[in-house]
Amino acid sequence: MTQPTAPKTAKLTFGDQEIELPVMVGSEGEVAIDIRQLRAKTGAITYDPGLGNTGACQSKITFLDGEKGVLRYAGYPIEELAKKSSFVEVMWLLLHQQLPSASQLSQFTHDVTYHTMLHEDLKALFQSLPKVGHPMAVCAAAVGALSTFYRKEGPTTREQNWIDAVRLLAKMPTIAAYSYKHSIGQPFMYPRNDLGYASNLLHMMFGNPCEQFEVNPVHAKALDLLLILHADHEQNCSTSTVRTVGSSGANLFASVSAGISALWGPLHGGANQEVIEMLMSIRDGKRSAREFMDLAKTKGSGVRLMGFGHRVYKNYDPRALILKQACYDVLGQLGAKDPLLDIALELEQIALSDSYFIERKLYPNVDFYSGIIYKALGIPVDMFTVFFAIGRMPGWISQWLEYQSDAEARITRPRQVYMGSTTRSYAPADKR
């Protein structure tokens, strides 16, 4: 594929000074002006709140084109992976940027399966926390606590990092399930090595020691799909948090614990929970979808439309298209009908035909439909973001590992434009 040509340098005029800055071109044609020497040459910095125009790293993991609605993991379209791959295979793909051979996949599946158990002493951490605490806070604490169980002496090695990566991928479902079991006062369920990744998670969530629990294969397949779609999404808030913390030399567990906290925010991973709460408010308030959308357009109404629009996508989120069909498939296979899906479809139809939403490029995003599937699977609403974190785990780990091997990586240290008081003299309290 022929990429558009770009100049090799960009000229910047700053007062009576003109400097040349190198231009970089990514493998998909993205153009970036390298400003690393800007301050040294001019004394000036750039100002970019939210860093929406700033490339903080070079990466080979995920490509995202928000204008065209394209998402690829290491070159593979998300639509193809969702249809043909598995979450465990996608883990390997993100970690290595290559699909595994049959033998590699078999060994990796074995390793992830046989590292799922938690140290028995870690149970005390869950039991020491209030049952009413949000499970994301519990998961962040438990992942951070893994650092105390897997301490290292001396400099880390690639082999040690890989072992920690496998441990974290394997143990995150167990941590998530334990956080849920603790919140409802039920005994923890040990993982089962005879189950696949998604099935094991559902077993630990919903099984109990009193009776045999059979995992519904439709549920497991739907969950596997959700995890694939959540696996990575370029330099979003939580991923950049993991990279930032990792840039300080912090270990993998500490870095990912910070990422979990970032994902917890309602503007990030917590959005799918807010979508369900919005749909339920429409249902329970006896308000029509049209009335709700009219209020969403009215300034000062206090009504917010959740699950539409995206910081990066200015087109239909490709993950939302996949999940929209998955909603039909899952509910159809389960023989269930959810009025929330009917409300969601009506909201989508209105948004796609209303100039207000079209002009603002407010298309459904992945959060809009994922909550409906989680609800159909019986996942409690406050666990939605935890399941998002399980899915995002291989992306976070891949990004952390990539940063550790980047020869140009430096500790993250943004600049600021100071707008406070200039130099002042201190005066004693009785003279102020």
Side-chain angles (χ1 to χ4, degrees):
M1 178 179 175
T2 303
Q3 301 291 351
T5 58
K8 294 183 178 180
T9 60
K11 291 184 179 181
L12 172 68
T13 301
F14 186 68
D16 58 0
Q17 184 181 11
E18 185 176 89
I19 64 171
E20 289 192 346
L21 299 170
V23 171
M24 302 169 57
V25 181
S27 59
E28 288 280 358
E30 311 108 306
V31 178
I33 300 172
D34 184 345
I35 62 167
R36 281 177 286 184
Q37 295 299 312
L38 177 65
R39 185 169 181 270
K41 291 182 176 180
T42 67
I45 62 172
T46 59
Y47 180 63
D48 186 19
L51 306 179
N53 301 286
T54 299
C57 65
Q58 298 181 52
S59 180
K60 297 180 180 179
I61 299 170
T62 296
F63 172 71
L64 194 164
D65 186 331
E67 300 298 330
K68 297 179 180 178
V70 171
L71 176 62
R72 303 188 193 113
Y73 296 162
Y76 292 95
I78 190 62
E79 296 85 353
E80 195 170 348
L81 293 171
K83 184 176 181 180
K84 301 177 181 179
S85 191
S86 68
F87 183 55
V88 173
E89 185 176 59
V90 166
M91 289 182 193
W92 179 280
L93 172 63
L94 292 173
L95 291 166
H96 296 278
Q97 295 87 62
Q98 294 287 344
L99 285 172
S101 65
S103 61
Q104 287 172 330
L105 181 58
S106 176
Q107 182 62 51
F108 181 61
T109 302
H110 173 276
D111 293 344
V112 170
T113 300
Y114 281 81
H115 276 286
T116 49
M117 285 187 67
L118 298 180
H119 195 291
E120 285 292 293
D121 290 350
L122 194 57
K123 288 182 178 179
L125 173 66
F126 294 93
Q127 293 163 345
S128 70
L129 298 172
K131 287 182 168 55
V132 295
H134 197 286
M136 283 295 278
V138 177
C139 289
V143 169
L146 291 178
S147 303
T148 66
F149 289 89
Y150 303 108
R151 295 178 60 189
K152 301 181 184 67
E153 300 297 335
T156 59
T157 64
R158 292 172 65 92
E159 291 75 18
Q160 288 174 329
N161 286 338
W162 174 252
I163 292 171
D164 283 347
V166 172
R167 283 171 173 155
L168 191 47
L169 289 168
K171 296 179 190 305
M172 186 60 199
T174 313
I175 289 171
Y178 278 22
S179 73
Y180 172 63
K181 288 296 193 183
H182 171 66
S183 72
I184 61 175
Q186 287 190 3
F188 300 146
M189 294 293 291
Y190 286 117
R192 281 174 46 186
N193 294 343
D194 62 321
L195 294 177
Y197 196 88
S199 295
N200 199 26
L201 172 55
L202 293 172
H203 151 71
M204 290 187 290
M205 280 283 294
F206 300 119
N208 69 74
C210 301
E211 57 190 13
Q212 187 71 22
F213 176 76
E214 295 296 331
V215 177
N216 187 322
V218 175
H219 286 200
K221 183 177 180 181
L223 178 55
D224 200 72
L225 173 64
L226 284 163
L227 297 178
I228 290 173
L229 297 180
H230 286 317
D232 195 54
H233 209 237
E234 202 223 34
Q235 303 307 314
N236 51 77
C237 177
S238 57
T239 299
S240 59
T241 297
V242 171
R243 278 184 172 260
T244 296
V245 176
S247 77
S248 72
N251 64 57
L252 178 61
F253 304 115
S255 302
V256 169
S257 176
I260 292 173
S261 296
L263 186 72
W264 186 8
L267 297 181
H268 193 7
N272 54 12
Q273 177 175 336
E274 293 199 337
V275 169
I276 286 293
E277 291 169 351
M278 173 190 74
L279 295 175
M280 290 191 297
S281 73
I282 296 173
R283 178 198 63 191
D284 299 339
K286 309 300 183 184
R287 181 188 290 158
S288 72
R290 172 58 70 181
E291 290 171 336
F292 180 86
M293 295 297 264
D294 287 341
L295 286 171
K297 294 189 294 183
T298 304
K299 190 174 182 179
S301 69
V303 171
R304 292 185 62 199
L305 178 61
M306 304 304 299
F308 283 77
H310 194 277
R311 174 72 177 269
V312 176
Y313 289 116
K314 306 306 175 187
N315 204 318
Y316 209 114
D317 185 338
R319 301 167 301 171
L321 283 172
I322 297 169
L323 287 182
K324 179 180 179 180
Q325 182 58 49
C327 283
Y328 288 113
D329 295 342
V330 171
L331 293 176
Q333 289 172 320
L334 295 177
K337 182 174 175 58
D338 191 339
L340 297 186
L341 176 58
D342 295 333
I343 296 171
L345 293 171
E346 191 174 355
L347 293 178
E348 178 189 28
Q349 184 179 16
I350 293 170
L352 296 180
S353 60
D354 189 312
S355 60
Y356 177 90
F357 301 101
I358 295 172
E359 291 168 3
R360 290 163 176 78
K361 299 183 178 180
L362 296 177
Y363 299 95
N365 58 41
V366 69
D367 300 309
F368 189 61
Y369 285 111
S370 63
I372 296 174
I373 299 181
Y374 282 133
K375 183 173 177 292
L377 300 182
I379 310 300
V381 173
D382 64 356
M383 287 292 293
F384 286 3
T385 316
V386 174
F387 274 66
F388 194 158
I390 298 170
R392 186 54 54 87
M393 193 59 63
W396 286 336
I397 295 172
S398 301
Q399 300 276 350
W400 187 90
L401 290 172
E402 185 177 62
Y403 195 93
Q404 304 307 307
S405 62
D406 185 352
E408 296 185 341
R410 303 172 63 195
I411 185 170
T412 302
R413 206 297 186 185
R415 295 282 175 175
Q416 66 171 28
V417 179
Y418 177 67
M419 304 296 286
S421 300
T422 55
T423 304
R424 295 187 285 185
S425 297
Y426 179 85
D430 61 349
K431 294 184 179 180
R432 293 175 200 162

